[in-house]
Amino acid sequence: MNWTGRRLPRTEDPALLRGEGAFTADLAAGARAVRFLRSPFAAGRILSIAAPDLPPGALLVTGADLEGVGAIRPELFRFNYRAIAQPVLPRERVHFVGQPIAAVVAATPEEAEDIAEAVLLDIEPEEAVVTIEDALRPGAPTLHAEAPGNVVVDGTIRHPDCEAAFARADRIVEFSLRSGRQNATPLEARAGLAAHDRATGRIRLTASCQMPHMLRTGIAALLGMAEADLQVVAPDVGGGFGQKMALFPEYPLLVWLARRHRGSFCWIEDRNENLIASAHSRDQIHHLRAAFAADGTLLGLEADILANTGAFSCYPTTCGVEPLMALAEYPGPYRLPTYSARARALATHTCPAAPYRGVSRPVVTFGLERLMDRAAAALGLDPVALRRRNLVTEFPHVTPTGLTLDQASYVEALDRAVEAADIPAFRARQEAARREGRYLGLGLAVFNERTGYGTPAFAARGMGIVPGYEVVDIAMTPAGEVEVRIGASPHGQGLRTALAQLAADRLGLDPSRIRVIHGDTDRTPYGWGSFASRGAVIAGGATQLAADKLAARLRRAAARLLQAEPDSVTLRDGAAWAGEASIPLTEIARRVHQRSEQLSDLGGFNLAETASYDPGGTFSNACHVAEVEVDAETGHVRILRFLVVEDAGRLLNPLIADGQVHGGVAQGIANALLEEVLYAPDGNPLTGSLADYLPPSAAEIPHIEIIHMETESPETLTGAKGLGEGGAIGAPAAIANAISDALSPFGVDIAELPATPARIRALIRNAR
Amino acid sequence: MKCPPFDYHAPRSQAEALALLARHGEEGKILAGGQSLVPTMAFRLARPARLIDINRIAGLDYCRAEGGRLRIGPLARHARFERPVAPGPTGRLLARAAEHIAHAPIRTRGTFCGSLAHADPASEWCCIALALGADLRVLREGGERLVPAAGWFQSVFTTALAPDELLAEASLPLLGPDWRCGFAEFNRRAGDFALAMAVTALRLDAAGHVAEARIALGGVAGTPILAEAAAASLLGASPTPDSLRAAAAIAAEGFEPTEDAQVPADYRRDLVRAMTRRALEGSLAA
Amino acid sequence: MSKMPIRLTVNGVPHEVAVEPRRSLADTLRDECGLTGTHLGCEHGVCGACTVLLEGEPVRACLLFGVQADGRAVRTVEGLAAADGTLDPLQRAFWENHGLQCGFCTPGFLMLATWMLEQPEPVDEARLRHVLSSNLCRCTGYQNILKSVRAAAQALGKWTEVAPVR
Ligand SMILES: Cc1cc2nc3c(=O)[nH]c(=O)nc-3n(C[C@H](O)[C@H](O)[C@H](O)COP(=O)(O)OP(=O)(O)OC[C@H]3O[C@@H](n4cnc5c(N)ncnc54)[C@H](O)[C@@H]3O)c2cc1C
Ligand code: FES
Ligand code: FES
């Protein structure tokens, strides 16, 4: 029976469907409520924080109480990184609206909020630096003395022959683009519950997080406590998309409270806090200059990348993650002979940036794919042909930034997409519609997505903390079920099901006999988590290795019991087989554990194995096609068709894979059209509710068609490539291209996302 | 985001509610559907010391045609209007607009009168009330007055209602079959408050000429507003595509738009032009 | 702040609890009745995660106070499956069609769709999208939620390809 590759419904679901899931807030009964008092100013000096008359049992904690607590200060040893520090609670200065400056504890959340409101805050406001332009202005205030000019990261790549390429070019295409600030907006905001266990003196932090092991390491270090005395549990997590990776000040504070006051403390972030003070992303300006030959061959590319990464640097990835990923991955799936680029992260008095689904690549793809369309127009060439001419076709291919592209289907995916989109028929519809004063457009985005990369890739960035590998412990119980303990920590990606499918095939067991255990530092090996489209590849690879080791153990035991050669034993249907003879795995498990005198010489008294996996990485690829209608009077964009040709190698569970693509595309559409975090010039956030920050509803998301190609990766054990982020990467570019195509009669070029109706109208008005 | 504390009253009769208002009006608020008041309290932008919940008062959820007018009680919920509550253009217009008000679970609670009392500039009901010339019956302990819609809206979230008063009924004229009503609005996400809307009502005489015209705009200024010059431009002639377009252009120029970070003034004008024309065209196409 | 005693029936089970008037129905269900299946995604009426049925009608439980449910009947996600945990047809459709990822929005969508499917009128594509646009999901891009509800409507004989006359 082959379980891998089947559309198996998820084991995660029934409890969630019955409302019996356990999200952090669901576990809060009995805990005291914590409310954070947050800075109302973007920049300012704290003069005093005065407690009102506190009711009995209530507490107010300020920075002054946190003697001996360290600051969050992630490291990066390259790219002129300036290590800047974020205090858990500041004593001197505030750096963004929403920064936690004190914590209030009370019996109920309502009461805690009342008290927090009554705290007297005396802060002397100072001039705020809010935008990229503000940060770069000569004489602008500096946020951190360690980072003069507000430049926290400044990385460059220079290829000496780049200038020559431009000198040789028949055509130079040059433009700037901007991608607005976003909030990942998981539907469950952040939440943490720290509980002191009197019997052991340990603290258990239950938190809605993506990287429990890292959180534990980080918090223990900040508080100077034994890591062994801290357990971090990620229970059911209501989405993350990167936002829940970082070590935020709120969590160490909860642990500090639990230790100090020997009790349980719960903080449930509200939506306003989440929108203004959790983590933001994107907010980038890229300036591109590309050299082309007359036949459309791309000769060279120059990029200047600016990222507004907010007030602090997120732990552990640092604020370098956005600009540096753009720096390294701008060549995309294209053959690029020479490349020069500079990427800077700028500190501003805004909410700190953290990774968000796609990290920079939605902006990079927006840049590259607008470039292809612009170049095609400038050269009078067909945009599909121009792409085909420049896409990498021979693998492995080494990019000018030293990345190795493994086997992929860039041209094939483009061709499949172009065929499915039926461009000639679309052009006829477009023509007819234009005669009626309606504007249809079609846009393409071809891209690759670097996924499943292990420590080498992170080490290359010079990170002080190098994530990447995953470890899996596997064991068969005496009753014959299999427990797979993974260091990764999924939150909606269905990894529990997909890994059970993988292990089931290796062990000849039904997946219902397999339990995947995750999200608990006491019960799982050290590992990193679910981010960077890595679950299926890395945790999958490690699971497969561990399951193979266990299978070998089982075969050896079976050979003894069946009196056969180990090599002749196969595992299937819950039993070990040697020819016609068989023995149930449950029986082997019982014997190994309980009749060890018969078998212990074969490998000990249990059926436990450990394996780890640390791959170099693989590139999945896709082509997105968007067909839109733009209402020229209102600037409204309606998506008429959205098509994804996706190649993520071997699919462990197509049902889950499709779901990942759907969710990614919806977020990409939101990036393209709807969502933008806005600040007033003084640094006050203007999008503090879901009525102002606009995640799309079912009415804004069209039907999404998916065509899968399965170019298996030679670089990964399972043949799978990651695909968690791709949807979000391609959609913004495809839609920007489609709008630009629709409005080509006006000469409108989309260079800023989201392309809101007001912006589109302004472009049309100015064009006329 | 928890509401600030308040004392809760659940009167069983209108008289009891009025007595509570008389006693606590300044520091109290009526709780009708709660679909605007509660979010405002959750953000702690409102902190009434008392809430007077009228939901347990029997008999206030009426909506009936009487004497040529549609009489709407304080507990008639938005959902009620999703299907025409009366035959003719008024009922159809209300049904057309109702589906644009938030979403089903909000429409089951939110009330017509609550929308008028709250006076969000982008409220569909407020815009219709102004367009059709609603009358608002206001009660206070020992007193009653009738306020025409034209005198009701004062500024954003501010009406002619005094703190001790209850909006006890809104009534709308039941327009005859010679009226053509139109509605159009623009928002970025389904169910959100509109960035602009237009409500139009034209009475055509036997010759097909416009005998009366009303155009109201919502979501574009501090209160819903009448586009009087635009309406007047249509009088006395048969509507043509050009005359409708010209009226829409007049509407777009004839007001001071509110501006914010997401919606610049000239964009509001663009939307008013488009919505006015679409509402007019839609009303005549039907 | 003083608490008020209230009685409400949740999924057919009577509850007598004391709540501060300002406590939302959602918090009342979660904290006083111990029914944490009703989720809070925004507490200002936009996301729909808190959708429950009050006297059979869908409401935002974050925009009602617990005291307003005094004497009333509420249905929450915990009431959908059979006592032995067997999923109801709608829940089963969500399971089979991968209608959930993180599952945080799921209770709200289930209650909203339960109400829609209990209405006498059949559901067509336009109504399906119109009604479900009430709630936000961040994970699924809605594709499989729509698919799940469509499948359940078909299974229950509530689906129509043509728009019903309203
Ligand atoms: C997500 C969301 C989207 C929405 N979208 C829209 C939309 O698109 N269009 C729209 O129009 N509305 C929208 N609304 C608001 C909704 O329609 C409200 O129901 C309406 O604005 C207020 O009606 P209510 O009965 O809920 O009033 P409440 O919230 O109970 O009260 C609002 C105010 O009016 C006062 N009040 C209420 N009734 C009376 C009365 N009879 N006499 C005196 N004072 C009274 C209250 O004291 C309070 O100050 C939306 C709400 C939400 C949560
Ligand atoms: S929590 Fe009630 S609508 Fe979001
Ligand atoms: S499944 Fe995660 S929000 Fe819908």
Side-chain angles (χ1 to χ4, degrees), chain B residues 29-39 54 74 78 100-103 106 109-115 117-118 120 122-125 161 165-168 185 191-194, chain C residues 44-46 60 63:
Chain B
K29 276 217 173 284
I30 296 286
L31 174 64
Q35 304 300 292
S36 291
L37 181 57
V38 180
I54 57 173
H78 304 327
H100 290 276
I101 303 178
H103 300 283
I106 293 168
R109 298 299 305 172
T111 64
F112 189 97
C113 288
S115 291
H118 187 61
D120 189 296
S123 150
E124 285 80 1
W125 295 151
L161 195 73
E165 287 178 328
L166 176 77
L167 173 54
E185 75 168 47
D192 282 5
F193 279 106
Chain C
H44 54 272
V46 182
R60 302 285 210 229
L63 298 186

Side-chain angles (χ1 to χ4, degrees), chain A residues 573-638:
Chain A
D573 302 332
W577 297 77
E580 295 293 295
S582 75
I583 178 168
L585 297 184
T586 48
E587 182 57 21
I588 301 176
R590 197 188 65 77
R591 298 253 196 127
V592 168
H593 290 92
Q594 294 167 359
R595 298 299 306 273
S596 55
E597 81 281 3
Q598 301 172 348
L599 294 163
S600 60
D601 61 306
L602 286 178
F605 301 98
N606 64 13
L607 286 169
E609 290 287 355
T610 290
S612 56
Y613 187 43
D614 187 21
T618 172
F619 284 80
S620 59
N621 64 277
C623 179
H624 288 195
V625 185
E627 208 183 298
V628 304
E629 174 163 358
V630 184
D631 180 338
E633 284 184 320
T634 63
H636 179 71
V637 176
R638 192 155 69 91

Side-chain angles (χ1 to χ4, degrees), chain C residues 39-50 60 62:
Chain C
H39 296 158
L40 288 168
C42 74
E43 297 180 279
H44 54 272
V46 182
C47 77
C50 64
R60 302 285 210 229
C62 69

Side-chain angles (χ1 to χ4, degrees), chain A residues 392-393 395 405-412 448 619-621 647 711-712 714 721:
Chain A
V392 172
T393 48
F395 304 96
L405 306 186
D406 58 333
Q407 194 65 41
S409 57
Y410 303 146
V411 170
E412 296 80 354
N448 58 5
F619 284 80
S620 59
N621 64 277
D647 189 343
T711 308
E712 293 204 6
K721 302 175 171 190

Side-chain angles (χ1 to χ4, degrees), chain B residues 180-199:
Chain B
R180 303 280 179 279
C181 292
F183 179 86
E185 75 168 47
F186 182 80
N187 57 16
R188 295 181 59 196
R189 184 178 57 183
D192 282 5
F193 279 106
L195 303 189
M197 76 179 73
V199 175

